[in-house]
Amino acid sequence: MGHSNIQLPTANFQSPSNLQEWVEEIGRLTKPARVVWLDGSDAEYERLLAEGVDTHVLIPLNPEKHPGSYLHRSHPKDVARTEQSTYICTPTKEDAGPTNNWMAPDEAHAILDRLFDGVMRTRTMYVIPFLMGPESAPSSRVGCEVTDSLYVAVNMRLMTRMGTVALKHLGQGREFFKGVHSVGTLDADHRYICHFPQERRVYSINSGYGGNALLSKKCVALRLGSWLGRQEGWLAEHMMLMGVEDPQGRITYLAGAFPSACGKTNLAMLRPPARFKGYRMWCVGDDIVWMRVGDDGRLYAVNPEAGFFGVAPGTSERTNPHMMRTIARHTIFTNVALTPEGTVWWEGLDRPEHPEGWLDWQGRPWDPARGEPAAHPNARFTAPLHQCPVIAPRWNDPHGVPIAAILFGCRRSTLVPLVYESFNWQHGVYLGATLSSETTAAATGATGLIRRDPMAMRPFCGYNMADYFAHWLTFGERLQHPPKMFRVNWFRKDERGAFLWPGFGENLRVLHWIVERCHGRAQATSTPIGHLPGPGALDTEGLDMSPEALRELFAVDRAGWLEATKRQAEFFQTFGDRFPSALWDEQQALIQRLKTMIEVGSRK
Ligand code: GTP
Ligand code: SPV
Ligand code: MN
């Protein structure tokens, strides 16, 4: 069994020998019943889908309502990333830093060798070469995931440039990222997602969920990518990437880091409200960017992915019509509700008129009276980028797009204003490093708790975040034209718990101010925390909002911010001497400004 059964790719599918050797090594360990190398062709994808239906991994949806689309139900306890089972296995604990779980590489390998030994004995091992980044781009990287999950295989086809194209890039003897995945027994007590940055390897066992199992995404493009980026002088970030085209046809590109389930996908493809005639939005990516310094001293970014793995609940014609078009065909839905007509549903899609005969995300009859959601709060869809009606013409540009502004967004019901701008790059890095946000259903654990999530990268940084902040700071000198940096927060709430700001398409009002700031045309008021929109600078015309609500969104609560700096300091201290002094300086300067501030606009 195992090794001798491995069918090597033939004819027009020549794989480089270093890749073959590695696949054989993993085959000797996992001992699969069958090995299938994937070439990424349409015919192969169709075969996989058909097999998925036969084996009940996929439920075909109504072909008229959802052409080429399927529903997958995960194990009910395997529905989100599990950060407690995610490890960075660097030689020392300090290299992983206080925000990561660490395990010594030898110890981790010993555990993994035991768990993976023969784990695929009755299963098929899919070999999935994938390319991260546009074809023919020098910054693009090859990876290979082996997995015993058909669900992972079909998702990788949608999420990456997969198969032959990746092998073409790899060539002979080049380095590639190596990912080994098995659903194992799905036993959460023995779940491990272990990263070995020095070996460019990741091993994941006992979960089939997105970020735990689609290894190209968080494991390779972010955790291993961020580590490699530090060695090589670039940045791998948890960011959306979009272009804002003004009525004169000029496109300004913005990148935005928001923690999981805090609005990247929605922002990346927002529909301009009627007030913004002549504006068009172009989506380049919704979750991950790789950024480097261009020859012209500007920051350039690519989306290394080729698909969306987006949050279903809350997605609707009203909130995100472009995503509704994107997922109208060739989409895999995970953990949404199913109607008797073979259509899917989730909370926030529309009003369920007659939910008779509906099945919830676990396949049980759904009774709204029970008060449980029909779709899991972290239900997702997977669809190819090219199906997005506002996909940027440059989404495949091997050079990437030049970034004019970086947004750090958070989900905070209090304190943090709708938008403000940093004074400079170093202050911008401080705004990123002090980002904190209310937790969401994208990871297991309690939701709604404020936690520190620097640059929205806390769960995804593959090394000590103190070094990561220092790495970010170096770009201030390396960039002749650094992007402007902003903090945004669409999620402020009133006393009754309702959102103060309409969000979604109306967020263009904020983007408009940001773009105008980038071009030196919008007014700002300097406050201790940064530049806020000057009087009348942010277009609020036609919004159904009380003047009090608007005031609240732009107030600077001096006492609240002074209090916040104490919690920031506690966090900074966890990094000890390794923490960059420049960020302590920024905090001291903020405290000084707050102490001498004359309060305006706040209700306090
Ligand atoms: P990940 O894929 O987990 O990285 O998430 P994301 O950052 O792409 O978040 P996404 O855009 O999918 O939004 C997550 C949830 O927030 C969804 O339920 C959205 O409907 C909701 N949301 C997004 N933008 C806004 C907004 O401007 N206002 C409000 N109130 N909700 C929003
Ligand atoms: C996130 O949790 O930030 C996601 C989904 O984008 S996952 O791929 O599961 O990480
Ligand atoms: Mn994400």
Side-chain angles (χ1 to χ4, degrees), residues 129-167:
F130 59 87
L131 176 69
M132 299 309 282
E135 264 187 76
S136 325
S139 62
S140 292
R141 303 287 163 149
V142 175
C144 185
E145 171 166 1
V146 299
T147 177
D148 56 9
S149 161
L150 183 140
Y151 170 75
V152 167
V154 290
N155 273 277
M156 288 293 285
R157 172 66 172 25
L158 300 179
M159 291 306 298
T160 68
R161 296 157 176 90
M162 189 256 262
T164 316
V165 56
L167 295 187

Side-chain angles (χ1 to χ4, degrees), residues 5 38 76 86 92 126 130 146 169 178 203 233 235 271 292 335 361 363 414 434 447 475 480 507 518 548 550 581 593:
N5 260 12
L38 300 189
T86 303
T92 72
Y126 299 98
F130 59 87
V146 299
H169 253 255
K178 305 168 175 81
Y203 287 76
L235 289 165
R271 179 180 54 186
R292 58 176 182 86
N335 293 340
W361 63 278
T414 61
T434 54
T447 61
F475 284 78
Q480 275 105 61
N507 291 333
C518 291
E548 297 77 51
L550 274 170
S581 58
R593 291 192 300 268

Side-chain angles (χ1 to χ4, degrees), residues 13 36-48 127-130 153 156-158 160-167:
F13 197 72
V36 176
W37 287 69
L38 300 189
D39 63 15
S41 66
D42 290 344
E44 172 189 87
Y45 183 57
E46 292 303 324
R47 276 201 306 277
L48 289 171
V127 181
I128 310 174
F130 59 87
M156 288 293 285
R157 172 66 172 25
L158 300 179
T160 68
R161 296 157 176 90
M162 189 256 262
T164 316
V165 56
L167 295 187

Side-chain angles (χ1 to χ4, degrees), residues 238 259-266 287 309 311 313-314 380 411 490-491 499 503-504 507:
H238 189 207
S260 301
C262 289
K264 292 181 297 300
T265 307
N266 281 271
D287 199 47
F309 183 61
V311 177
R380 298 248 167 188
R411 182 184 285 270
W490 315 144
F491 299 96
F499 288 115
F504 301 104
N507 291 333

